Amino acid sequence: MPNIIVVGAQWGDEGKGKIIDVLSKDSDYVVRYQGGNNAGHTVVVGEREFVLHLIPSGILHRGKVCVIGNGVVVDPEALWNEIIELRKKGIKVNEDNLMVSDEVHIIFPYHKAIERLKEDRRGSSKIGSTGRGIGPCYTDKADRCGIRLADLFEKDMLYEKLKANLKEKNEIFRKIYNFKGFSFKELYDQYLNYGKRLKRYACNCSIILNDCIAKGKSILFEGAQGTLLDMDHGTYPFVTSSNATAGGACTGTGVSPNKIDSVIGVVKAYTTRVGEGPFPTEFPPDLMEQIRNKGKEFGATTGRPRRCGWFDAVIVSHSIRVNGLDSIAVTKIDVLDDSNTIKICVAYKYKGKLCENFPGDINILNNCEPIYEVYPGWLEDTSSVQRYEDLPLNARRYLKRLSTILKTKISIVSVGSKRTQTFYNNI
Ligand code: GDP
Ligand code: IMO
Ligand code: MG
């Protein structure tokens, strides 16, 4: 099995968790490389549903090693709770199958507080953040005042860094936000304690993974969020604060690009997004309701209703280029089973001009008119289909058309949330 990066090619929630879970059985290591517990990856095993936020989706397969790479930001309380919850459900999680880079940056309560206060101030131009403190933690990382997992193991180091951080942050809280701030002693004791609990999981991610490659073992890199939420290549500023795209897998783990064999993008058969920001193919209210209910489109992390719309080939073509996608996995075909007509957006019209490439200017995305191709639906239940050949004719035509427009092969098709509702392909 080669080393594969799996990325979201839309605005997140494409079904990465499910695809990672399916591919995990043929991989030795599964690694998260960016983001934090803003992610919510749902995996269904038999009749049981698991929602993973920080721990790679490979954890549900025995014998796989899961690694949280240096590019991830970790809320230790959230990580600890996730470990405990999995154990309660009978999943083995210990230092044999979970490792955390000692270079991950740590989320503190002041990150969550400042995020909330900033979002409140933004008013109608808010980002719609999940409120997990992700952005402020990455801000500290870039500002070179961040606190990393290894710092939690060193009393004096944590003392010095936390003291300096809190001094400045509490001043900002009080002077700008009229908020009392945080007590040093409480946070210091609490985070030293997290350090003690998490020490056994700490690793040097780059060494572990490069050793594994040298031994001929294989790695699955699990992207969180999606390309359009990438800090550089997404719909900035309505993005997350990390590189969700394929390049992030290398910087976020210490594995070189020449060790990567393939990149797979996950797309939904339509589009969704949670939070604010432009969404050219967003449905009108009646269709929104229908697809949201059929697709159970509610956020796995915050429970917010997801905004839904038609498949947007302009954004997915952008994802294919930015990530160098070798193939795509198309999920949730079954959600379109009851649709009379199905649309694919192939370009945007802006001020009378046709725009076929994803624009950097967010004004264009906000004010463009999507240009659609319209196809008849298949009006048949696809949820038990096991082979491409057995899909209804119009479903095959839809997939074929997507593949032609995107100039990319479809390697996996998913028709339900279960492992068995998946088939490999070569469309
Ligand atoms: P992720 O963040 O990319 O891992 O995606 P989420 O887990 O947040 O959202 C995808 C949702 O769709 C989950 O509830 C999955 O169980 C579900 N799902 C995945 N593939 C399919 C599919 O082919 N059909 C249906 N109906 N549900 C799916
Ligand atoms: P998975 O991995 C969908 C969105 C938020 C918000 C923006 C910034 O499950 O696909 P942040 O908390 O990062 O400051 O939020 O990004 N967002 C996601 N949307 N799926 C996700 O993860 C997301 N993670 C963040 O809704 O619009
Ligand atoms: Mg999700």
Side-chain angles (χ1 to χ4, degrees):
M1 179 90 170
N3 301 319
I4 301 174
I5 302 175
V6 175
V7 292
Q10 294 159 322
W11 275 288
D13 301 327
E14 299 89 348
K16 298 175 292 293
K18 172 184 167 161
I19 299 300
I20 287 281
D21 172 66
V22 168
L23 295 176
S24 290
K25 75 174 175 12
D26 298 317
S27 240
D28 300 299
Y29 284 65
V30 186
V31 188
R32 273 281 304 272
Y33 58 85
Q34 45 69 233
N37 61 323
N38 49 351
H41 298 174
T42 310
V43 181
V44 176
V45 183
E47 298 306 314
R48 302 170 79 200
E49 186 176 280
F50 297 85
V51 183
L52 298 149
H53 297 286
L54 270 168
I55 298 180
S57 303
I59 200 78
L60 303 175
H61 287 267
R62 275 200 169 270
K64 309 297 170 185
V65 180
C66 289
V67 183
I68 297 179
N70 55 274
V72 176
V73 288
V74 171
D75 180 333
E77 186 183 1
L79 176 59
W80 188 250
N81 288 341
E82 201 166 319
I83 293 172
I84 301 297
E85 283 304 310
L86 283 170
R87 283 189 188 147
K88 274 193 202 152
K89 291 183 171 175
I91 306 298
K92 184 189 104 169
V93 189
N94 61 29
E95 57 271 43
D96 294 336
N97 69 341
L98 178 67
M99 297 181 193
V100 185
S101 164
D102 61 5
E103 294 172 331
V104 294
H105 279 251
I106 298 294
I107 297 177
F108 282 79
Y110 49 76
H111 291 129
K112 289 185 257 189
I114 191 94
E115 182 161 67
R116 182 171 38 80
L117 293 164
K118 276 194 170 207
E119 279 278 79
D120 286 351
R121 283 204 164 198
R122 280 192 176 110
S124 61
S125 56
K126 69 174 197 274
I127 306 295
S129 163
T130 61
R132 300 298 188 264
I134 309 294
C137 184
Y138 278 117
T139 302
D140 279 0
K141 176 177 179 176
D143 195 23
R144 290 150 298 174
C145 66
I147 297 178
R148 309 203 289 186
L149 180 60
D151 298 324
L152 304 189
F153 310 147
E154 301 289 335
K155 272 173 139 176
D156 296 344
M157 183 65 84
L158 180 63
Y159 188 95
E160 202 180 298
K161 289 193 172 179
L162 186 61
K163 197 102 212 164
N165 266 300
L166 265 189
K167 184 168 184 285
E168 187 184 322
K169 291 181 197 305
N170 277 342
E171 216 169 308
I172 293 171
F173 279 131
R174 284 172 202 140
K175 290 194 177 150
I176 300 181
Y177 295 100
N178 194 23
F179 172 71
K180 70 177 170 26
F182 293 88
S183 135
F184 170 80
K185 177 86 177 92
E186 234 169 75
L187 284 192
Y188 180 66
D189 290 345
Q190 192 183 3
Y191 276 71
L192 266 184
N193 199 24
Y194 287 138
K196 281 185 195 137
R197 283 193 210 165
L198 294 177
K199 190 158 187 185
R200 51 204 274 242
Y201 299 97
C203 74
N204 181 316
C205 173
S206 177
I207 292 180
I208 296 274
L209 297 183
N210 281 285
D211 277 358
C212 131
I213 294 169
K215 288 180 185 139
K217 296 191 171 173
S218 59
I219 306 173
L220 211 49
F221 295 86
E222 175 174 349
Q225 288 80 52
T227 302
L228 277 298
L229 288 173
D230 181 279
M231 194 170 47
D232 287 87
H233 300 290
T235 44
Y236 190 89
F238 299 99
V239 293
T240 191
S241 304
S242 64
N243 287 115
T245 42
C250 296
T251 53
T253 59
V255 172
S256 147
N258 62 12
K259 301 287 195 304
I260 307 296
D261 299 295
S262 158
V263 188
I264 299 177
V266 186
V267 294
K268 262 179 205 173
Y270 47 100
T271 313
T272 61
R273 97 170 281 177
V274 201
E276 311 305 316
F279 187 173
T281 65
E282 192 163 8
F283 288 141
D286 52 334
L287 253 176
M288 179 79 81
E289 196 71 7
Q290 182 195 319
I291 298 293
R292 182 181 284 151
N293 289 337
K294 172 107 182 160
K296 301 198 180 88
E297 295 296 357
F298 296 89
T301 298
T302 57
R304 289 176 292 176
R306 294 175 182 151
R307 300 157 66 193
C308 306
W310 293 118
F311 190 93
D312 186 339
V314 180
I315 67 158
V316 177
S317 296
H318 169 73
S319 296
I320 288 166
R321 174 173 28 79
V322 164
N323 294 297
L325 298 185
D326 294 296
S327 71
I328 53 176
V330 181
T331 63
K332 298 195 129 175
I333 283 287
D334 56 300
V335 177
L336 297 180
D337 285 353
D338 308 326
S339 303
N340 285 312
T341 51
I342 295 175
K343 296 185 185 180
I344 304 173
C345 168
V346 290
Y348 306 137
K349 204 171 190 178
Y350 180 70
K351 292 193 174 165
K353 278 198 187 144
L354 210 61
C355 171
E356 287 175 329
N357 289 318
F358 176 76
D361 180 354
I362 200 162
N363 276 320
I364 301 181
L365 278 180
N366 273 326
N367 298 303
C368 67
E369 175 201 337
I371 306 296
Y372 289 114
E373 289 182 0
V374 184
Y375 294 94
W378 43 90
L379 302 175
E380 270 180 64
D381 179 6
T382 58
S383 65
S384 51
V385 172
Q386 294 285 298
R387 301 185 313 160
Y388 173 70
E389 299 74 43
D390 295 337
L391 280 171
L393 178 64
N394 284 347
R396 276 180 279 147
R397 283 188 173 148
Y398 180 63
L399 288 173
K400 251 256 144 5
R401 186 66 194 137
L402 287 186
S403 168
T404 305
I405 295 170
L406 300 170
K407 302 185 190 74
T408 304
K409 151 176 113 178
I410 297 173
S411 55
I412 301 173
V413 177
S414 169
V415 291
S417 53
K418 295 187 174 165
R419 284 175 174 168
T420 48
Q421 292 172 303
T422 324
F423 44 91
Y424 291 91
N425 227 294
N426 205 352
I427 307 164

